[in-house]
C-alpha cells in the first residue's frame, strides 16, 4: 500500500499502546530512517553493535517498553497483558528461522517441532533494573535470564510475516 515497513512497525507499536518510538538502525541507514520518522516524538538510535546494545541505550527513559521488529508485519493486539515480561507469539513450522518460546525459555533459531515464536516483546521497568549493568551477547540471552527470575506471559499475535530477506518478502507479496 505504499507504506514502508518501518512506518508500519511504528504504527503497529502505537496501536499497541506505545507513546514513544525508538528506531534502532545502522549508521548507513540512519539518514533514510530519520526522514521516515516524521516530526513526532520518535528517537533515532544508530548503532552497529547489535539490537541488545540499542535496547540498553533506551534504559535512560526508565519506561515500560515494547519491541516491534521493523521487518515484520502482524495484526496488533488491543491490550498487552500486564507482566514483567510479555511475549507476543505466533505458531511456526519453521523454528529454525525464529526465536521460539518453549518450556519456559527462549530457543534461538534451532530446528525442531512446530512451536510458538516470539514476534514482539514487552517489558516493565523491573526488567530495566534487572538488566541494567549486565552485558549479554544477544537479546535472547537477556530474555532467557529474565524468564528465570520474573513472571512472563505469552499472548497471541495474528498474521505474522517476517520479511528479513528478499525471498520472505516475495512470498508475502505473492500471498496478498
Amino acid at each position: 500500500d505504499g507504506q514502508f515497513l518501518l512506518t508500519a512497525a511504528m504504527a503497529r507499536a502505537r496501536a499497541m499502546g506505545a507513546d514513544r518510538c525508538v528506531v534502532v538502525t545502522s549508521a548507513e541507514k540512519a539518514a533514510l530512517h530519520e526522514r521516515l520518522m516524521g516530526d513526532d516524538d520518535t528517537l533515532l538510535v544508530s548503532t552497529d553493535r547489535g539490537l541488545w546494545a540499542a535496547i540498553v541505550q533506551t534504559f535512560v527513559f526508565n519506561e515500560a517498553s515494547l519491541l516491534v521488529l521493523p521487518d515484520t508485519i502482524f495484526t496488533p493486539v488491543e491490550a498487552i497483558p500486564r507482566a514483567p515480561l510479555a511475549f507476543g507469539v505466533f505458531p511456526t513450522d519453521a523454528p529454525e528461522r525464529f526465536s521460539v518460546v518453549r518450556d519456559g525459555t527462549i530457543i534461538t533459531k534451532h530446528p525442531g517441532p512446530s512451536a510458538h515464536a516470539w514476534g514482539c516483546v514487552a517489558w516493565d521497568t523491573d526488567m530495566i533494573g534487572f538488566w541494567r549493568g549486565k552485558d549479554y551477547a544477544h537479546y535472547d540471552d537477556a530474555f532467557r535470564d529474565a524468564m528465570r527470575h520474573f513472571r512472563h506471559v505469552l499472548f497471541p499475535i495474528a498474521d505474522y510475516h517476517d520479511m528479513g530477506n528478499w525471498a520472505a518478502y516475495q512470498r508475502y507479496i505473492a500471498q496478498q
Side-chain angles (χ1 to χ4, degrees):
D1 61 5
Q3 189 173 197
F4 289 92
L5 288 174
L6 175 61
T7 54
M10 291 169 40
R12 204 167 35 261
R14 291 193 188 284
M16 293 172 67
D19 295 324
R20 171 198 338 257
C21 289
V22 177
V23 175
V24 177
T25 189
S26 61
E28 69 258 8
K29 295 178 185 174
L32 171 65
H33 290 162
E34 190 169 26
R35 284 193 312 231
L36 294 175
M37 292 178 351
D39 295 326
D40 62 7
D41 57 353
T42 301
L43 174 70
L44 183 72
V45 174
S46 178
T47 183
D48 290 321
R49 293 184 42 228
L51 183 55
W52 179 250
I55 289 171
V56 168
Q57 291 181 48
T58 69
F59 290 173
V60 297
F61 300 120
N62 200 37
E63 297 174 340
S65 298
L66 170 65
L67 173 63
V68 175
L69 301 171
D71 59 353
T72 64
I73 292 178
F74 60 89
T75 303
V77 296
E78 290 184 20
I80 298 170
R82 290 197 172 273
L85 193 58
F87 295 91
V89 296
F90 61 94
T92 181
D93 292 330
E96 67 278 2
R97 290 187 56 224
F98 303 101
S99 295
V100 300
V101 182
R102 183 181 292 139
D103 299 326
T105 192
I106 301 287
I107 301 168
T108 307
K109 297 184 179 182
H110 191 273
S114 296
H116 282 90
W118 70 260
C120 64
V121 183
W123 57 86
D124 68 13
T125 55
D126 289 343
M127 292 291 89
I128 295 168
F130 177 74
W131 287 327
R132 194 180 307 272
K134 294 184 179 182
D135 188 26
Y136 297 100
H138 192 271
Y139 50 87
D140 278 344
D141 296 332
F143 298 151
R144 272 190 287 275
D145 191 22
M147 290 169 80
R148 286 190 291 270
H149 295 90
F150 291 86
R151 182 174 70 88
H152 63 279
V153 298
L154 309 181
F155 62 96
I157 54 176
D159 303 319
Y160 187 90
H161 301 277
D162 177 1
M163 289 173 270
N165 62 47
W166 185 247
Y169 176 73
Q170 288 178 311
R171 278 193 303 274
Y172 172 74
I173 294 299
Q175 292 172 356
Q176 300 307 304

